[in-house]
Amino acid sequence: MLADRGMTLTELAERVGVTVVNLSVLKNDRARAVRFSTLTAICDALDCQPGDVFSVGPGR
């Protein structure tokens, strides 16, 4: 989705107000939780819905 928006992870981190490390954890599916405020900020920055960013599957 970042590539589709022509945005880097660093740029997204700046727009959202979180560290690149924290976004990297989310991006690489290593996060155990995400704050609602962070999720909404990501969706606002990417002009998308939460389901466009996250999915739930077996074993998750």
Side-chain angles (χ1 to χ4, degrees):
M1 186 165 286
L2 286 172
D4 291 343
R5 303 297 194 268
M7 191 181 305
T8 66
L9 197 62
T10 302
E11 184 178 355
L12 180 61
E14 290 171 0
R15 289 185 183 194
V16 173
V18 298
T19 66
V20 174
V21 172
N22 285 339
L23 283 183
S24 181
V25 167
L26 289 170
K27 180 181 172 191
N28 293 310
D29 200 26
R30 293 188 315 246
R32 297 190 64 164
V34 61
R35 290 180 184 210
F36 186 74
S37 59
T38 301
L39 177 58
T40 56
I42 290 170
C43 289
D44 287 346
L46 295 175
D47 190 30
C48 67
Q49 295 294 313
D52 299 329
V53 179
F54 293 103
S55 63
V56 178
R60 292 186 179 192

